[in-house]
Amino acid sequence: MRDRRERQMYVCGITPYDATHIGHANTYVSFDLIHRMWLDQGREVTFVQNVTDVDDPLLDRARATGQDWQALAEGETALFRDDMKALHVMPPQHYVGAVESIPLVIKHIERLSAAGDTYLVDDDLYFEVHRDLEFGGISHLDESTMIELFAERGGDPGRTGKRHVLDCLVWQAERPDEPAWESPFGRGRPGWHIECAAIALEFLGTGIDVQGGGSDLIFPHHEMSVSECHRSARQVPFAHHYVHSGMVSWHGHKMSKSRGNLVLVRRLRDHGIDAAVIRLALLAHHYREDWEWVDGDMSEAQTRMHTWRRALTVDDGPASHAVIQQIRELLADDLQAPRALKAVDQW
C-alpha cells in the first residue's frame, strides 16, 4: 500500500517540433506549483512526464524542413528542457520518450487485445473505447461534441471500418518512408493516447493523485488514454484528480504551432528578458483561466520583480513568517497564485 504522504503526478509533455511557447510554459509552471507545494508539505513526490518524440506533426515538420526526424526531436526536446530549467520548473523524476516506451506500449496493447478490447481496420489496430464503462467521465461531453473535437485534434471519426466513430488508434501499421518498429501486430508505431497510458501505468500504476495537462487535452487525449489505462490495469480510477491549465491566446487565437501565432520563451530570453520575470507574468493568471497574452504582462511582471528585489536589499522590514503561511494557504486553495503574488506585494 502506498504511503499516505506520497504523491504521484503524471503531466503530458510536448511533441518536440518547435520551441517552447508561452502556452506550454503556462502549463508546466502551473504543475510546478503543485510539485513544489507537495514538497513543501514534506511529501515524497513521484512526477512523470512524457515527450511524444515520434508523431505525425513531428514527421511532417521534419519533411517540410528537410531534417532528420530524430535530430529534430532531440534538438527541440533539449531546447524545451533548457527553457524549463530557466523558468525554475523542477524536472520530473521520470522523463520518458515515446520511442523508448515502445516496448511498454506493446505490452499494454497485448493486455487490451487479450481482453478483446482491440480490433483491426485494414492493418491498423484500434481500441474500442466503450469497453470502458467510465468513458466520457472526464470530459462530460455529448457524443456530437466528442466527434467534432476528435476530428479537430488528431482523430479519424470518419474512417470506414471502425466499430464506433470514437474508437482510437493504438498501433499504426508501417507507412512508406516513416519510422516503424517490430511488434506482434506487425511493423508500425504507437498511437498517441496509448503512449501516455503505457508510461503512466509503468511508472505510477493506478489511483494516482493527479493527471494533468492543458485543457485542450481533456478530449480526446485524456479521456481516451485514461480509458486505455482502466482496461489495461483492470482498475478504476486511474487518477483521483484530473487537473487542466487554461489556454493562452495571442492576437485573438489560442497559441498553437499549427497556426504559428506563438510567443516563444526562447525569443523572450534572447531579447534579454529575465526568465524569472516570464514566470511572474504567468503566475499572475490563475492556472485554470483562459487568457490573452499582451505586452503589458511583461512590463507589469518586470515592475513587480524590480520592486521585490529592491525590497529584499532593505535591512529591516516586517517578518516573513506570516506572508509565507499566507502563500501556503492560498496555494492550497486551488493554487491561487495571483492572490499569493499580491500577498507578497503587500508584504
Side-chain angles (χ1 to χ4, degrees), residues 291-305:
W291 53 281
E292 177 96 9
W293 176 268
V294 295
D295 292 339
D297 288 322
M298 290 307 308
S299 59
E300 290 178 13
Q302 286 174 321
T303 298
R304 172 173 267 150
M305 180 61 76

Side-chain angles (χ1 to χ4, degrees), residues 37-167:
M37 181 177 66
W38 283 338
L39 292 175
D40 181 62
Q41 294 169 351
R43 301 182 185 277
E44 292 185 11
V45 179
T46 305
F47 171 25
V48 180
Q49 190 172 323
N50 73 307
V51 55
T52 305
D53 54 3
V54 59
D55 198 19
D56 289 339
L58 170 67
L59 299 176
D60 291 343
R61 177 62 60 87
R63 281 190 289 265
T65 58
Q67 295 176 270
D68 175 77
W69 68 271
Q70 292 172 298
L72 174 62
E74 290 171 3
E76 293 299 332
T77 299
L79 287 174
F80 170 77
R81 299 190 77 169
D82 185 65
D83 283 337
M84 292 299 102
K85 182 178 180 180
L87 291 168
H88 296 283
V89 172
M90 299 179 67
Q93 284 75 33
H94 303 284
Y95 192 60
V96 188
V99 171
E100 67 181 292
S101 71
I102 286 174
L104 303 179
V105 168
I106 291 172
K107 179 176 74 173
H108 287 284
I109 294 176
E110 287 180 316
R111 288 182 182 174
L112 295 173
S113 296
D117 294 344
T118 64
Y119 62 95
L120 283 169
V121 177
D122 299 323
D123 292 324
D124 297 330
L125 196 63
Y126 278 79
F127 170 64
E128 198 168 354
V129 295
H130 291 92
R131 296 276 291 183
D132 174 29
L133 299 181
E134 304 295 321
F135 180 75
I138 297 173
S139 61
H140 302 288
L141 298 172
D142 61 73
E143 187 171 283
S144 62
T145 303
M146 287 184 179
I147 294 169
E148 180 181 351
L149 290 176
F150 193 37
E152 291 175 2
R153 297 173 179 175
D156 57 355
R159 182 169 184 178
T160 302
K162 291 170 60 173
R163 294 177 182 173
H164 192 281
V165 291
L166 293 173
D167 290 347

Side-chain angles (χ1 to χ4, degrees), residues 303-318 344-347:
T303 298
R304 172 173 267 150
M305 180 61 76
H306 176 72
T307 301
W308 287 12
R309 287 176 171 164
R310 184 178 58 190
L312 291 173
T313 64
V314 177
D315 291 332
D316 59 354
V344 177
D345 292 339
Q346 184 63 42
W347 174 75

Side-chain angles (χ1 to χ4, degrees), residues 4-45:
R4 288 186 304 168
R5 298 200 61 78
E6 183 183 349
R7 290 291 181 264
Q8 295 177 313
M9 178 165 65
Y10 185 92
V11 178
C12 295
I14 61 166
T15 301
Y17 63 94
D18 209 342
T20 317
H21 60 71
I22 288 294
H24 290 142
N26 182 61
T27 293
Y28 300 115
V29 166
S30 297
F31 289 98
D32 186 59
L33 283 185
I34 297 177
H35 192 178
R36 290 176 179 276
M37 181 177 66
W38 283 338
L39 292 175
D40 181 62
Q41 294 169 351
R43 301 182 185 277
E44 292 185 11
V45 179

Side-chain angles (χ1 to χ4, degrees), residues 184-257:
F185 335 109
R187 283 181 57 80
R189 58 184 170 91
W192 176 27
H193 315 301
I194 193 65
E195 166 200 341
C196 282
I199 293 171
L201 287 176
E202 185 71 21
F203 289 92
L204 296 172
T206 58
I208 73 170
D209 296 283
V210 167
Q211 176 170 13
S215 60
D216 57 343
L217 296 183
I218 297 173
F219 194 90
H221 184 54
H222 282 175
E223 194 76 75
M224 293 182 173
S225 64
V226 167
S227 285
E228 291 165 345
C229 285
H230 289 166
R231 293 298 297 170
S232 178
R234 295 294 188 271
Q235 291 185 20
V236 175
F238 165 66
H240 292 292
H241 302 282
Y242 297 96
V243 182
H244 299 98
S245 60
M247 294 290 100
V248 183
S249 299
W250 191 45
H251 293 168
H253 298 279
K254 185 199 84 167
M255 283 190 199
S256 68
K257 295 177 183 180

